[in-house]
Amino acid sequence: VQLQASGGGLAQPGGSLRLSCAASGFTLDYYNIGWFRQAPGKEREGISCHSRDGSTEYADSVKGRFTISRDDASNTVYLQMTNLKYEDTAVYYCAAVFGYHRRTWHLSRIYDYWGQGTLVTVSS
């Protein structure tokens, strides 16, 4: 079971990036997939989740700017990030959990599998 996060890089404020979370060894649509980020000196923050039933969740900090989606054909979950802000700079991680209570989607401790992280830097 492996998750591979990619797509990070440098973006200007107001710009866009798309992150990918590719799974191998298991089928993503059986799992709830979360995106987290961790900025230097800060705790890991849950920012979005795509549940098995297709519902989505967003942290207030990214609502309206980020969109999570799942492509079953490629076994990949995406995080489309638009209108990026300086405070979006962080290492972004994807994670998977088979079962969870929806209210806890943002808690990193409930996730069983983690990708390696991809760095997003928002700078002019």
Side-chain angles (χ1 to χ4, degrees), residues 48-66:
S48 187
C49 178
H50 194 291
S51 67
R52 290 188 296 174
D53 67 5
S55 61
T56 57
E57 304 283 351
Y58 297 95
D60 288 343
S61 58
V62 305
K63 197 171 294 182
R65 301 188 298 122
F66 292 9

Side-chain angles (χ1 to χ4, degrees), residues 34-39 42-48 58-62 65-66 87-93 105-108 114:
W35 278 100
F36 291 78
R37 67 185 181 187
Q38 188 164 20
K42 294 190 176 181
E43 293 187 354
R44 192 167 294 190
E45 174 192 16
I47 58 171
S48 187
Y58 297 95
D60 288 343
S61 58
V62 305
R65 301 188 298 122
F66 292 9
E87 53 263 42
D88 294 322
T89 295
V91 178
Y92 284 69
Y93 302 88
W105 70 267
H106 60 289
L107 300 176
S108 59
W114 288 83

Side-chain angles (χ1 to χ4, degrees), residues 8-21:
L10 177 65
Q12 293 185 336
S16 300
L17 284 173
R18 189 179 75 161
L19 305 184
S20 300
C21 177

Side-chain angles (χ1 to χ4, degrees), residues 18-34:
R18 189 179 75 161
L19 305 184
S20 300
C21 177
S24 58
F26 67 103
T27 304
L28 271 180
D29 62 358
Y30 290 163
Y31 286 76
N32 305 290
I33 306 300

